[in-house]
Amino acid sequence: MKAQVITKPGCQKQCGDLLIPYPFGIKSEDLDCAINPSFELKCDDSFHPPLAFSLTSDLVQFQHVHDISDTEVRVSCVVAYMCYNQSGGFTEGYIVQNGLDGTPFTYSTANVLTTVGCDDYANVYNDPRSFIPNLVFSDRFMPKGCSTTCLPGEKIPKDECSGSGCCQVPISFQKYFNIHVGTYNNHRNVSSFNECGFAFIGEKSRFKFRGISDLNDTTFRDRIADIPIVLDWAIGDKNCSEAVRKWKVRVTFYMCS
């Protein structure tokens, strides 16, 4: 039997299709509906159905909240990409940088780095200093990544991310990542069916590579927005005795389980 979703009394229980369990809560002027500001959500009624967004500043760029469970939150991923014209000229791109420092959230190992393209590689870094110019990299800052290649006329298998049009690698970082997409030949040999390379962090089980149709899909970025990135959450890392000593208040003020 599915666990009952319990919202703080008097607070909004739902935003669109999303149920809001305490310690999360929709921000209210009159009530403290979340256990602290890190767990506050905004329900945006301009969408149909309405969507919930985190008010934690570092999570705003993740777009909306898909799902909340007892240990995880699923939020929309953000896609890094680089695009080129038929002459190999750069047309547009985006580098993803996301961090969770100062929040009760960490990145789950259910996520992987996925790269999609025919002339591309993607590197993911786990430290914000990895983008500082002229930084001498230590092992701590070395990137993790994968590369994808394919040629015109080559058969590109569906549902596989083994290097032909798509690749995936596991991730192990907890609080920060940035993704950079690079290219080997500016898509000159593949621009007739693949103008862009993409990379994103997201839940492995939720992405199914569709082969050539993904490579020439002009709405690919929109589809990937529905692939969630999984965040683990916890109210704190102290037991009840430690929490009472830290805050010097009566244990009856705490919920401990």
Side-chain angles (χ1 to χ4, degrees), residues 188-205:
R188 290 185 181 90
N189 297 327
V190 296
S191 61
S192 61
F193 65 98
N194 178 224
E195 296 181 350
C196 303
F198 304 91
F200 60 94
I201 300 293
E203 188 171 11
K204 181 177 182 179
S205 63

Side-chain angles (χ1 to χ4, degrees), residues 26-127:
I26 300 296
K27 185 174 178 60
S28 169
E29 297 296 330
D30 304 318
L31 297 169
D32 291 326
C33 290
I35 194 168
N36 63 50
S38 293
F39 290 90
E40 286 185 338
L41 303 174
K42 175 186 176 182
C43 188
D44 192 333
D45 295 325
S46 66
F47 294 90
H48 302 284
L51 298 177
F53 292 79
S54 173
L55 293 180
T56 300
S57 60
D58 288 326
L59 290 178
V60 170
Q61 55 190 308
F62 278 119
Q63 301 177 15
H64 68 275
V65 179
H66 285 261
D67 176 71
I68 302 172
S69 72
D70 290 342
T71 59
E72 297 174 332
V73 180
R74 283 169 173 78
V75 292
S76 297
C77 74
V78 184
V79 184
Y81 61 93
M82 294 289 173
C83 299
Y84 306 87
N85 59 31
Q86 291 190 350
S87 300
F90 173 78
T91 57
E92 62 173 328
Y94 184 70
I95 295 173
V96 170
Q97 299 185 66
N98 283 315
L100 299 174
D101 285 343
T103 78
F105 305 102
T106 56
Y107 298 108
S108 168
T109 54
N111 302 304
V112 295
L113 169 68
T114 299
T115 306
V116 174
C118 274
D119 184 35
D120 304 283
Y121 61 88
N123 290 328
V124 59
Y125 300 83
N126 66 354
D127 192 287

